[in-house]
């Protein structure tokens, strides 16, 4: 079978080596398409692929239509908002993700941004510490578990809200579960977002929640920019000069933040939470192994779309 690794943002070379090893050992061929410039390039490369490994690359109905032989697509990562699941189902294609494989990298980036911000961007002036501060985890999945672990090392008090996770699981990780989002946002000096981007969550973080945050609060977003209501975030930051926003990927109107909120925001130039060699290896190799298992035994563990 031909496995296409199609990544606009390439995996580290060491990860590619290991992905190739898994594929070749199982008798498959690995083809690479990296840093492509147009969707057409992806369409051409996908035309004879039996399987695909992608990152945040858009796999929409046009890609599915171009990939006539495709039987499985694996998003090497957690969030699969880039996959058109209905189009996959309609064409009998199995869609999967690799949950948990890049979580630590994302959590470490979140903390990196938090320390940077607490120390005023390392400007030499008096900053603050994370010790003793409260951290609110908005959703309690794999990244939040890593966040809680790191937070305990920093001596932070951790809270979480997740209606889909048993409170005992949250408490078992040393985190205090709270009953409402309002409680989370009004309690915590740092709130870190770990929700997926879907119809329910897009634009859901806005004035209502942000205005509840305590004095000097910081919103940390390593999830997706789409979950933020950007106009409302700007409006709250205008009203409250104490609020800060740290995000793994710039908002649509980054220039406005630069103009109005100097020293109160940080944006990575490119989404890079999962951009470590370790995370690339973990997620890429997991994706390759899932594809090998699918072709060998029909294993559909980690399938995220409905069967036809
Ligand atoms: C994920 O959902 O796994 C992360 O956002 C990582 O995305 P990336 O593979 O595009 O870096």
């Amino acid at each position: 079978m031909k496995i296409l690794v199609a990544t606009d943002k390439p995996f580290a070379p060491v990860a590619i080596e290991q992905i190739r090893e898994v594929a070749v050992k199982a008798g498959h061929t690995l083809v690479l398409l990296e840093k492509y410039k147009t969707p057409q390039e992806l369409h051409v490369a996908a035309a004879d692929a039996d399987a695909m490994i992608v990152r945040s690359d858009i796999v929409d109905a046009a890609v599915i239509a171009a990939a006539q032989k495709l039987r499985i697509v694996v998003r090497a990562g957690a969030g699969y908002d880039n996959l058109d699941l209905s189009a996959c189902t309609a064409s009998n294609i199995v869609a999967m993700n690799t949950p948990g494989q890049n979580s630590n990298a994302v959590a470490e980036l979140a903390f990196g941004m938090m320390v940077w911000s607490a120390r005023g961007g390392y400007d030499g002036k008096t900053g603050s510490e994370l010790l003793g501060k409260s951290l609110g985890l908005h959703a309690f999945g794999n990244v939040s578990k890593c966040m809680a672990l790191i937070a305990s090392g920093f001596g932070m008090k951790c809270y979480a809200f997740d209606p889909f996770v048993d409170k005992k699981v949250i408490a078992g990780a040393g985190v205090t579960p709270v009953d409402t989002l309002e409680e989370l946002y009004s309690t915590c000096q740092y709130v870190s977002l770990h929700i997926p981007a879907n119809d329910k969550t897009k634009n859901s973080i806005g004035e209502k929640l942000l205005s509840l945050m305590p004095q000097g609060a910081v919103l940390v977003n390593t999830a997706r920019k789409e979950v933020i209501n950007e106009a409302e975030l700007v409006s709250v930051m205008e009203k409250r000069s104490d609020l800060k926003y740290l995000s793994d990927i710039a908002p649509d109107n980054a220039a406005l933040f630069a103009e109005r909120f100097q020293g109160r925001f940080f944006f990575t130039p490119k989404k890079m939470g999962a951009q470590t060699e370790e995370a690339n290896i973990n997620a890429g190799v997991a994706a390759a192994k899932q594809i090998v298992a699918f072709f060998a035994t029909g294993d559909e563990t980690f399938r995220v779309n409905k069967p036809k």
Side-chain angles (χ1 to χ4, degrees):
M1 299 288 174
K2 176 174 158 180
I3 303 174
L4 171 68
V5 176
T7 52
D8 168 44
K9 186 171 55 187
F11 286 122
V14 61
I16 293 294
E17 257 173 57
Q18 295 189 31
I19 294 167
R20 190 185 299 282
E21 205 178 295
V22 171
V24 170
K25 217 181 211 169
H28 304 304
T29 312
L30 198 86
V31 179
L32 266 187
L33 174 71
E34 294 179 327
K35 297 184 190 170
Y36 52 91
K37 297 277 176 290
T38 62
Q40 285 67 36
E41 279 180 71
L42 177 57
H43 299 169
V44 170
D48 61 348
D50 302 284
M52 261 171 77
I53 297 175
V54 296
R55 296 185 63 178
S56 291
D57 307 80
I58 304 295
V59 179
D60 57 13
V63 175
I64 298 299
Q68 285 292 312
K69 292 176 71 189
L70 194 65
R71 291 177 55 199
I72 175 168
V73 54
V74 183
R75 191 283 190 244
Y80 46 87
D81 44 304
N82 54 318
L83 308 182
D84 185 332
L85 298 186
S86 318
C88 288
T89 295
S91 296
N92 252 325
I93 293 165
V94 172
M96 293 184 182
N97 68 346
T98 65
Q101 299 292 346
N102 56 21
S103 308
N104 184 64
V106 176
E108 285 192 14
L109 183 81
F111 269 88
M113 295 195 296
M114 285 158 64
V115 173
W116 179 92
S117 164
R119 290 305 182 93
Y122 308 125
D123 63 358
K125 296 188 185 136
T126 301
S128 61
E129 301 181 21
L130 298 185
L131 178 71
K133 301 292 190 307
S134 47
L135 171 64
L137 302 167
H138 186 157
F140 197 74
N142 291 308
V143 181
S144 281
K145 285 178 192 146
C146 296
M147 292 291 291
L149 203 63
I150 300 172
S152 73
F154 272 95
M156 298 185 87
K157 291 171 284 183
C158 242
Y159 300 82
F161 173 79
D162 195 327
F164 304 106
V165 176
D166 192 323
K167 284 187 178 164
K168 285 191 199 125
V169 172
I170 297 178
V175 175
T176 305
V178 298
D179 290 321
T180 62
L181 270 184
E182 286 72 19
E183 193 181 342
L184 191 81
Y185 279 74
S186 56
T187 305
C188 297
Q189 285 141 320
Y190 289 84
V191 170
S192 190
L193 305 177
H194 301 291
I195 46 178
N198 57 38
D199 290 345
K200 288 211 172 80
T201 62
K202 279 181 189 166
N203 275 313
S204 67
I205 313 298
E207 185 136 21
K208 194 170 147 273
L209 291 172
L210 300 175
S211 55
L212 297 173
M213 295 181 85
Q215 187 67 24
V218 182
L219 178 69
V220 185
N221 182 10
T222 54
R224 292 288 184 272
K225 73 173 177 182
E226 290 82 2
V227 301
I228 301 284
N229 182 321
E230 205 177 307
E232 292 189 19
L233 170 65
V234 167
S235 153
V236 178
M237 285 182 74
E238 256 163 2
K239 283 183 212 151
R240 289 204 25 200
S241 62
D242 61 299
L243 283 186
K244 291 185 181 155
Y245 179 53
L246 313 174
S247 177
D248 182 17
I249 199 168
D252 292 332
N253 205 343
L256 186 144
F257 282 75
E259 194 187 295
R260 299 190 197 168
F261 307 131
Q262 268 310 322
R264 296 171 53 205
F265 69 90
F266 175 82
F267 306 138
T268 52
K270 193 167 192 159
K271 187 152 80 79
M272 55 168 291
Q275 203 57 325
T276 64
E277 282 189 349
E278 293 88 340
N280 286 178
I281 292 169
N282 293 344
V285 169
K289 285 184 176 167
Q290 287 170 214
I291 288 170
V292 168
F294 171 75
F295 285 127
T297 65
D299 188 342
E300 293 191 357
T301 312
F302 304 119
R303 181 174 186 153
V304 292
N305 66 325
K306 290 195 188 92
K308 201 170 181 179

